[in-house]
Amino acid sequence: MSDIFDVVNNFHETKKEIGYVDFKSATEKDYKKIGFKCGLEVHQQLKTEKKLFCRCPASTYQKIDEYDAEVIRHMRPTLSELGEYDGTALMEFRTRKNITYRLKNETTCTYEIDDTPPFKINLDALKIAIQISLLVKQSVVGELHIIRKQYLDGSIPAGFQRTGIIGIEGEIPLKNKTIRLIQISIEEDSAREISDIGHERVYRTDRLGMPLIETVTYPEMLTPQEAAEACQYLRFMARSTGNVYTGIGAARQDVNVSCEGGTRVEIKGVAHIKWIPLLTHNECYRQVALLKIRERLLKKIKPSEWNMNVVELDYNKLTSSTHFVLKAKEENKKLIAVNLPNFKGILSHFTQPGKMFSNEIADRLKVIACLEHPNMLSSEMPRPEFFFADGDYIKKALDASDDDAQIIFWTDEYDRQIATETIEERCQMAFEGVPNETRKGLPDGTTIFERVLPGADRMYPDTDTAPICIPEKLIEDIRQTLPHDVCDEMKTLTEWGVPESAWTYILKNNLMMMIRRINYETDVNYKFIAKLFAYDLNHLEGQLKPSGEFTFSKVLGMFRFIKEENLHPEISRLMLVELYQQPNMRFESILEQLDFKRRDKEKLKSYIPLLSEKFDQINTSKEADAKFHWVMGQIRNKAIGNIALTDLAKIVKESI
Amino acid sequence: MADLFKGYKGNALELLKKYKIRVWSDAVVSTTRGEFAGIVLPRAENDDDLHIVLKMVTGYNVGILVDTITNMKEEGYKEANYKIPEKEFPYSAEKPNVKLFGTGGTIASRLDYRTGAVIPAFSPGELYGAVPELADICNMTTEKLFAVFSENMGPQEYITLAKCIGKEIENGIDGIVVGHGTDTMHHTAAALSFMVQDSPVPIVMVGSQRSSDRPSSDAALNLIHATKAAAESDIAEVMVCMFGPTSDEYGLLHSGCRVRKMHSSYRSTFRTIGDTPIATINKDSITHIKDNFKHRRKDRDVKILPYFEEKVAIVYYYPNMQPDIIDSLIENGYKGIVIAGTGLGHVNKEIYPAIERATAKGIAIYMTVQTLWGYVHMFVYDTGRDLMAMGIIPADNMLPEVAYIKLGWALGQADDLDKVKEIMLTPISDEITEREPYNGYLVFQGGIPEMEAYLKRIHK
């Protein structure tokens, strides 16, 4: 029996060695040390009635099992305009997927499945895109050229997405710095994946073709928090136009991360901004770990001398009865063993919290060779029972030495070659450091391999559309419609004295105009209105469920009522609780519900002597203010809406 | 000199000259809207002279409004070399030999900066580079006969093609594939059906509805299917091989005289009209639907009949058609007219005199139906009988385009109208069939519950 390598210990040692700092305790200094760098690609659906290049409705969705017909496609790589094949395209071709699209007549026409050339671009979408481009001070192009961006994963039935640059450069302000933008493009949204198992991938086409813009920043965010802040800004800015969709999936971001000496890795489709910090943190340290692995390997062997040995194992010679192996035998799969020279200690090297280098290989086997997880065993697993029992046979069959590591995987003949190539390719890449990849972010903050990062070679001019001129006149007209800059809005909030903790809610929900309007019509001060939204309403949304449709304009109605009835605005906080639950209730009824009665100053004052007397009888407190607070508490609900609480306090103080 | 500024004209050209910027320059352009950097691309001829096109480092193209440009500077030069990687097509003695004739179309194509559209590219090496699966099927040689879009195919091309096919067959080829644009593929298929008779090997026409420069193109799979049909099938007829459903699943082998393009853009655009296709084909097998086809033979006894009279026209009848339409054909010396009539084969009374003048002049007039499905039946109504009395000959269930090709071919070899009639009405390759099976007419109607259930079950 072979010596068993202490995998768990190695994992923790290597984690220490690369200097991994826990997310919660990481500081700006830690990020500076590893050279954290991050850029964003923010996708935002535009609020149009119809899709970008056909006349299907936008934002009408179908359920997974709701479809009228299915279409199957396979994708082949094609040349870019400059005569090159794109790396991703070639990889996707190797994976040989059967891609099935589920179509619903209501949401999909012959255009989405690439059976009809594009119709004219949706002008509403184009105008919104230009509007947002102008908001971030971009150079708007003179002529929009639609380009085909290849995607062979099947997310677009044509095999390419139609996209075009609206503007380049531009900038957005963060709290302490300015982030520059590379470009904004207008493009079609992709199909939504339903499943991806083995060689079968299934999509639905409802979202496909919806107009969206992609805003790309330079990699200038130097901490995970800055990345989230920039993303938040871009989202608020888009929403401030009132011309974009909100809600789940309407805005998605790809986050590009690298460490010093690392490579740009794209974390794709991050659904929530709050996930960005942890994902980018872990990705950056993953790169640090991969660079360490590279250093360790290069010390041992030259990549050109590194050769992988592969043999097929004989089930009859195995003594162990691992579940996976039994299952593989039952399914008539071949059991393949691979020797990785000098990889001892590498497979169990730390890469991300709870993940090690062997995960990098397993994830690629799933994506490229279509081997479903769990798809391999290795000599460096936390509990390598299999290798306890059959380690000697495997090592002998592979002619392995003690400094090597081994992988066992099971496959049918069809995927065998690609699987073997995939392992070899990933191990060779370990000598280079960090592979160019797009990765998928998981809710636990780690990432998995999604595909090879595509480059400029996947771009090809769209021969089905003519260039679209963007004349000066159009730009000037759109300039007239620009909403306030988010940066300016933040300044305004500061001037109003609205606390920063309230900003997100207000900007996210595009409430600045509403607050201005309420103030204009009712004279209630900005800060009060802002806080009512950001604190009171925000809290209610988390606690209660309205019985009908609650809209922000109900709040405007409420303030109008308060003004007409000559009530004090403070009652709005009590009314809102009822209004939110019963949005269709009349305001008079809400007052009844609150048991509100009109009482003038004198009337309120008249309650005080009796209360004061009562307090003296029951008082046990030695606090100087105890009497004042108690009386205020007793009288408060009677006063709200009738007089300002500050005035009430004065009266109480004078009278006791 | 002009070549330095490919496609640019007017204001844009002046500006490029002024700042000494050529096409393929890596340039920085300052404008009133901001600064842009990238490679200056050629401009399509039909586009305006108000913009200069740049490819930026991200791979995107943008157009810059000439009026906004304040300065341009060349910082480098990078000319694109668009070339499908060529690999020598492997040879294996056991594999059948297939000849691929190229006529144009998008079966293999590349970008054309002159028009901004795609143009055909073609060589065995390029094809092997793009579709390596072909080498598993056969040994392939190619010959580019023309490089035209299918709408530019005509009698001269039909004749050249037929002769070349004849020569290849005599030289012992095992199968022929003809790459062709899809728009008039059924015209050429009909022409070859008449001009190349008794072929001992399959002659398979193929094209693509989505050009091969897109990842989801049907070109590769169609070409694989067609090559397999040419190399391996037992069907020694002129056929069209194109997608069955719009899904990447299987192709159909259609008889060259019964097939028609039925949708302007769908992949599954070709349909056999009034009959069933001969077979289905996928990467692994050919499954016959019909069994009464001509079988592959070892001999080389092919007949090449390369005739065509160009003075033939199709007249698509419409209500209120005036006699001058027919008269103009008479005046211009036309020898044959195919009418696509309404219903069972009718036209209005107003053009009767013109028809009489035409037949009196010895013009051969044949009646087909614009319903496409069904036979001409001119005995049912008086109109039909009148027309026949005037000399119009019903062409049974010949498709209008096929009748046009056949009449051109018949008039190309005979002047005597009786002889022409004999040629026209003697079926050569299913252009006229004795019977129309019930499954020969299937135009499904969407929305009907049982149809919707069926559509959900099959792959479209």
Side-chain angles (χ1 to χ4, degrees):
Chain A
M1 202 179 85
S2 321
D3 295 336
I4 295 301
F5 178 65
D6 190 342
V7 171
V8 178
N9 185 49
N10 184 53
F11 179 79
H12 289 298
E13 280 304 310
T14 50
K15 183 174 174 181
K16 232 182 271 169
E17 218 174 295
I18 68 152
Y20 181 82
V21 181
D22 189 60
F23 175 65
K24 287 203 173 100
S25 40
T27 62
E28 212 177 315
K29 219 168 125 193
D30 294 315
Y31 294 121
K32 199 167 181 187
K33 194 170 147 198
I34 57 173
F36 179 99
K37 230 193 218 175
C38 175
L40 289 168
E41 296 169 20
V42 179
H43 301 97
Q44 173 68 60
Q45 287 178 349
L46 306 179
K47 201 171 185 172
T48 56
E49 198 188 322
K50 291 171 182 170
K51 291 184 178 180
L52 188 57
F53 285 112
C54 69
R55 305 298 170 245
C56 287
S59 207
T60 301
Y61 293 108
Q62 75 198 59
K63 295 199 184 88
I64 281 177
D65 52 359
E66 198 185 11
Y67 61 95
D68 296 319
E70 287 183 321
V71 166
I72 287 197
R73 289 279 149 80
H74 303 113
M75 301 293 165
R76 298 177 79 91
T78 61
L79 291 176
S80 78
E81 185 176 10
L82 299 180
E84 308 282 342
Y85 277 112
D86 181 61
T88 321
L90 291 176
M91 183 205 96
E92 299 281 3
F93 186 47
R94 273 202 302 172
T95 58
R96 292 178 297 188
K97 292 268 187 188
N98 257 329
I99 303 158
T100 305
Y101 298 97
R102 291 190 173 168
L103 324 174
K104 186 105 187 75
N105 288 330
E106 196 188 349
T107 62
T108 309
C109 68
T110 50
Y111 169 71
E112 282 96 333
I113 48 166
D114 192 33
D115 263 328
T116 292
F119 299 90
K120 274 196 176 141
I121 195 165
N122 183 331
L123 270 181
D124 293 338
L126 182 61
K127 285 178 188 165
I128 300 169
I130 295 172
Q131 189 187 29
I132 294 173
S133 172
L134 290 172
L135 263 182
V136 291
K137 305 178 182 71
Q138 288 202 312
S139 316
V140 176
V141 301
E143 202 177 47
L144 172 64
H145 283 244
I146 302 300
I147 286 273
R148 299 175 183 171
K149 194 194 252 184
Q150 277 195 19
Y151 281 97
L152 275 75
D153 60 354
S155 57
I156 310 211
F160 57 78
Q161 175 188 43
R162 288 196 166 88
T163 165
I165 299 277
I166 294 289
I168 63 161
E169 297 297 328
E171 58 181 43
I172 57 167
L174 300 192
K175 264 183 226 133
N176 302 317
K177 67 198 284 191
T178 299
I179 300 290
R180 291 178 306 138
L181 302 181
I182 298 177
Q183 65 190 39
I184 289 182
S185 54
I186 188 166
E187 54 193 41
E188 307 171 282
D189 210 338
S190 56
R192 295 194 293 159
E193 188 182 301
I194 292 176
S195 64
D196 179 18
I197 300 161
H199 290 275
E200 302 292 331
R201 196 177 277 165
V202 183
Y203 289 95
R204 51 190 147 164
T205 55
D206 45 8
R207 194 184 69 186
L208 177 68
M210 274 182 70
L212 53 82
I213 51 160
E214 184 197 55
T215 308
V216 186
T217 74
Y218 279 94
E220 294 178 345
M221 281 73 84
L222 302 181
T223 65
Q225 290 71 27
E226 276 182 11
E229 192 193 340
C231 201
Q232 199 73 263
Y233 182 92
L234 285 170
R235 186 172 290 186
F236 292 159
M237 188 258 315
R239 287 188 183 179
S240 74
T241 63
N243 290 329
V244 300
Y245 280 111
T246 57
I248 296 167
R252 305 185 298 276
Q253 35 274 326
D254 301 342
V255 189
N256 294 307
V257 186
S258 66
C259 74
E260 179 77 44
T263 310
R264 179 169 82 95
V265 165
E266 182 177 316
I267 308 171
K268 250 197 141 29
V270 181
H272 301 285
I273 294 178
K274 60 177 185 245
W275 289 0
I276 292 178
L278 184 58
L279 282 169
T280 52
H281 171 91
N282 283 334
E283 172 53 26
C284 201
Y285 276 106
R286 188 185 70 94
Q287 297 196 14
V288 174
L290 292 179
L291 291 176
K292 192 78 192 169
I293 288 172
R294 167 179 187 264
E295 189 188 312
R296 276 179 63 172
L297 284 173
L298 287 176
K299 265 186 204 154
K300 292 191 208 173
I301 187 169
K302 281 187 193 154
S304 57
E305 286 164 8
W306 190 85
N307 278 313
M308 202 172 89
N309 196 10
V310 186
V311 296
E312 187 178 332
L313 296 179
D314 183 348
Y315 282 106
N316 298 323
K317 290 189 181 161
L318 298 173
T319 56
S320 68
S321 53
T322 305
H323 162 71
F324 303 123
V325 174
L326 290 178
K327 197 167 160 238
K329 187 179 178 184
E330 208 180 285
E331 289 170 359
N332 270 328
K333 292 198 166 153
K334 294 183 188 308
L335 199 58
I336 311 293
V338 181
N339 188 52
L340 311 174
N342 300 92
F343 264 60
K344 188 176 185 175
I346 299 292
L347 289 186
S348 57
H349 193 293
F350 170 87
T351 52
Q352 304 179 71
K355 288 190 176 161
M356 48 196 202
F357 185 75
S358 60
N359 293 102
E360 300 262 323
I361 298 174
D363 290 345
R364 281 192 174 232
L365 281 179
K366 153 84 177 105
V367 176
I368 302 175
C370 303
L371 304 186
E372 287 302 310
H373 287 302
N375 50 22
M376 60 174 246
L377 297 172
S378 88
S379 54
E380 297 190 14
M381 296 172 70
R383 296 172 62 208
E385 286 91 348
F386 186 68
F387 282 84
F388 271 117
D390 291 305
D392 286 344
Y393 161 56
I394 296 166
K395 283 171 105 176
K396 203 171 159 211
L398 286 167
D399 196 16
S401 74
D402 276 349
D403 201 27
D404 302 346
Q406 292 83 36
I407 285 175
I408 310 286
F409 67 93
W410 40 94
T411 172
D412 49 31
E413 191 56 41
Y414 187 73
D415 295 319
R416 178 180 171 169
Q417 170 126 13
I418 288 168
T420 315
E421 282 170 18
T422 302
I423 295 173
E424 185 166 21
E425 193 176 67
R426 183 62 191 88
C427 289
Q428 280 289 352
M429 284 174 176
F431 288 90
E432 288 157 31
V434 187
N436 249 251
E437 292 174 350
T438 63
R439 299 179 66 83
K440 188 165 149 189
L442 302 179
D444 72 357
T446 63
T447 58
I448 52 169
F449 174 76
E450 192 170 71
R451 67 172 96 105
V452 178
L453 189 68
D457 285 337
R458 65 167 167 166
M459 309 298 257
Y460 192 83
D462 184 27
T463 48
D464 301 326
T465 51
I468 300 144
C469 182
I470 301 177
E472 290 287 296
K473 169 92 174 62
L474 181 65
I475 292 184
E476 281 321 308
D477 288 350
I478 292 172
R479 218 184 272 283
Q480 304 308 316
T481 69
L482 290 190
H484 291 268
D485 197 318
V486 173
C487 179
D488 295 341
E489 300 288 38
M490 286 175 172
K491 273 188 210 144
T492 306
L493 285 168
T494 313
E495 282 162 18
W496 290 350
V498 177
E500 232 178 272
S501 57
W503 292 7
T504 303
Y505 186 87
I506 291 163
L507 296 173
K508 189 173 78 182
N509 291 296
N510 200 20
L511 286 168
M512 292 300 281
M513 282 314 288
M514 181 57 81
I515 294 171
R516 285 191 181 95
R517 188 157 171 202
I518 293 172
N519 167 270
Y520 178 78
E521 287 193 25
T522 67
D523 268 345
V524 178
N525 83 54
Y526 296 114
K527 183 176 166 184
F528 181 85
I529 307 165
K531 282 168 75 178
L532 186 82
F533 277 118
Y535 298 151
D536 293 74
L537 182 56
N538 193 3
H539 177 74
L540 290 173
E541 282 174 350
Q543 302 289 320
L544 301 170
K545 222 178 130 67
S547 65
E549 198 198 357
F550 180 87
T551 56
F552 294 126
S553 56
K554 299 263 178 199
V555 178
L556 173 64
M558 177 178 72
F559 277 109
R560 278 179 185 153
F561 173 80
I562 289 170
K563 186 179 169 164
E564 278 161 22
E565 295 295 313
N566 208 11
L567 300 173
H568 192 277
E570 269 162 3
I571 197 162
S572 62
R573 297 190 62 193
L574 300 179
M575 287 180 74
L576 184 65
V577 180
E578 302 301 323
L579 179 64
Y580 183 72
Q581 295 176 81
Q582 314 264 5
N584 298 320
M585 200 187 250
R586 290 172 56 240
F587 293 117
E588 287 84 356
S589 310
I590 291 179
L591 288 182
E592 273 168 36
Q593 193 99 346
L594 292 171
D595 201 17
F596 173 81
K597 296 211 167 49
R598 291 195 186 262
R599 301 169 175 103
D600 60 11
K601 241 185 214 175
E602 292 311 311
K603 176 86 183 159
L604 289 165
K605 211 171 171 179
S606 71
Y607 297 126
I608 300 174
L610 212 66
L611 286 167
S612 178
E613 217 170 282
K614 195 173 178 189
F615 177 81
D616 294 339
Q617 289 168 9
I618 60 170
N619 178 41
T620 52
S621 170
K622 291 188 175 63
E623 294 282 329
D625 279 348
K627 190 174 191 174
F628 167 71
H629 288 303
W630 188 82
V631 175
M632 272 298 280
Q634 296 297 311
I635 209 167
R636 185 191 172 90
N637 278 353
K638 292 188 170 77
I640 286 188
N642 286 314
I643 62 169
L645 289 176
T646 46
D647 291 342
L648 179 70
K650 264 188 223 154
I651 298 170
V652 172
K653 259 185 190 149
E654 284 164 10
S655 312
I656 54 173
Chain B
M1 269 309 279
D3 207 30
L4 286 179
F5 308 103
K6 294 180 180 101
Y8 285 97
K9 59 195 174 194
N11 296 336
L13 179 65
E14 287 309 308
L15 206 75
L16 287 173
K17 281 182 177 165
K18 177 177 162 195
Y19 291 110
K20 297 193 170 62
I21 301 284
R22 10 172 214 174
V23 163
W24 306 120
S25 287
D26 195 351
V28 177
V29 183
S30 308
T31 78
T32 53
R33 294 187 192 178
E35 200 172 86
F36 296 85
I39 292 166
V40 179
L41 292 179
R43 182 106 174 135
E45 260 174 20
N46 295 326
D47 289 343
D48 63 33
D49 68 341
L50 303 174
H51 297 87
I52 286 167
V53 190
L54 289 188
K55 176 171 284 293
M56 306 203 300
V57 66
T58 51
Y60 280 91
N61 296 355
V62 297
I64 298 171
L65 192 62
V66 167
D67 290 347
T68 63
I69 293 175
T70 53
N71 192 23
M72 291 175 89
K73 214 173 123 208
E74 179 175 306
E75 303 213 317
Y77 184 81
K78 192 192 174 192
E79 183 165 351
N81 182 20
Y82 188 93
K83 200 169 173 340
I84 297 166
E86 274 200 60
K87 284 194 217 156
E88 198 181 331
F89 203 99
Y91 177 82
S92 144
E94 308 90 63
K95 293 215 163 77
N97 298 314
V98 170
K99 178 85 180 203
L100 171 61
F101 285 110
T103 65
T106 51
I107 192 80
S109 55
R110 67 178 173 83
L111 194 68
D112 175 21
Y113 278 115
R114 191 183 65 79
T115 58
V118 285
I119 58 169
F122 179 86
S123 84
E126 283 174 347
L127 281 174
Y128 180 57
V131 193
E133 293 97 320
L134 294 176
D136 300 335
I137 302 170
C138 67
N139 301 311
M140 183 173 269
T141 49
T142 65
E143 188 175 341
K144 190 193 253 175
L145 294 178
F146 332 105
V148 296
F149 289 120
S150 73
E151 59 271 22
N152 299 325
M153 288 289 291
Q156 284 319 307
E157 285 76 22
Y158 303 153
I159 288 168
T160 308
L161 194 52
K163 286 178 177 166
C164 289
I165 289 172
K167 209 162 279 165
E168 281 301 324
I169 292 173
E170 277 164 29
N171 290 342
I173 201 80
D174 296 310
I176 304 268
V177 177
V178 180
H180 199 290
T182 54
D183 283 5
T184 66
M185 192 189 283
H186 50 292
H187 296 85
T188 307
L192 291 180
S193 299
F194 302 128
M195 292 183 183
V196 183
Q197 291 186 22
D198 296 338
S199 167
V201 300
I203 299 167
V204 190
M205 302 203 57
V206 69
S208 71
Q209 278 290 84
R210 292 287 92 79
S211 59
S212 60
D213 57 358
R214 43 217 285 163
S216 64
S217 167
D218 53 340
L221 197 54
N222 276 333
L223 190 56
I224 292 167
H225 290 156
T227 305
K228 187 179 173 74
E232 298 169 12
S233 90
D234 185 35
I235 310 162
E237 296 198 12
V238 174
M239 294 175 278
V240 164
C241 175
M242 291 287 287
F243 265 37
T246 183
S247 288
D248 287 10
E249 285 200 321
Y250 60 88
L252 291 174
L253 294 173
H254 302 275
S255 173
C257 286
R258 291 240 61 90
V259 66
R260 197 169 186 283
K261 186 175 185 176
M262 298 302 287
H263 193 279
S264 64
S265 56
Y266 244 72
R267 287 163 169 76
S268 49
T269 178
F270 282 92
R271 301 283 104 172
T272 290
I273 307 289
D275 203 345
T276 62
I278 306 173
T280 61
I281 183 164
N282 62 29
K283 282 180 178 171
D284 306 314
S285 61
I286 299 167
T287 310
H288 295 155
I289 297 172
K290 283 169 50 168
D291 48 15
N292 56 337
F293 52 80
K294 294 174 189 134
H295 295 268
R296 186 190 276 275
R297 307 188 309 273
K298 289 249 163 16
D299 68 66
R300 297 283 122 185
D301 303 335
V302 62
K303 279 190 282 194
I304 302 299
L305 307 162
Y307 316 115
F308 207 91
E309 167 53 57
E310 299 201 10
K311 285 286 188 186
V312 177
I314 299 186
V315 172
Y316 193 98
Y317 171 74
Y318 48 87
N320 197 34
M321 181 181 266
Q322 300 299 307
D324 52 2
I325 297 283
I326 306 289
D327 286 333
S328 78
L329 292 173
I330 302 169
E331 278 163 30
N332 284 297
Y334 274 73
K335 294 187 175 162
I337 299 173
V338 171
I339 298 176
T342 57
L344 292 164
H346 302 137
V347 294
N348 62 351
K349 275 212 161 70
E350 271 179 79
I351 64 168
Y352 282 11
I355 286 172
E356 278 170 340
R357 284 194 287 279
T359 47
K361 276 249 174 169
I363 297 174
I365 308 184
Y366 285 80
M367 180 62 78
T368 61
V369 290
Q370 48 186 250
T371 57
L372 302 178
W373 273 274
Y375 290 78
V376 180
H377 282 286
M378 300 181 73
F379 284 106
V380 179
Y381 296 103
D382 284 348
T383 308
R385 292 172 193 227
D386 291 344
L387 291 169
M388 284 200 296
M390 280 179 258
I392 291 187
I393 302 163
D396 289 340
N397 68 339
M398 232 190 288
L399 293 165
E401 296 85 358
V402 175
Y404 159 77
I405 294 285
K406 194 173 185 187
L407 187 54
W409 176 71
L411 285 167
Q413 52 190 305
D415 291 326
D416 174 32
L417 290 186
D418 288 334
K419 179 68 188 161
V420 170
K421 182 176 176 184
E422 188 194 326
I423 297 171
M424 282 299 284
L425 300 184
T426 309
I428 293 167
S429 184
D430 287 342
E431 72 275 23
I432 293 172
T433 57
E434 284 185 321
R435 53 192 289 277
E436 182 186 19
Y438 256 91
N439 59 358
Y441 172 60
L442 285 177
V443 181
F444 293 143
Q445 192 70 68
I448 295 166
E450 55 266 39
M451 202 49 237
E452 293 294 326
Y454 172 71
L455 280 175
K456 191 167 175 176
R457 215 171 60 240
I458 59 149
H459 289 142
K460 246 186 127 211

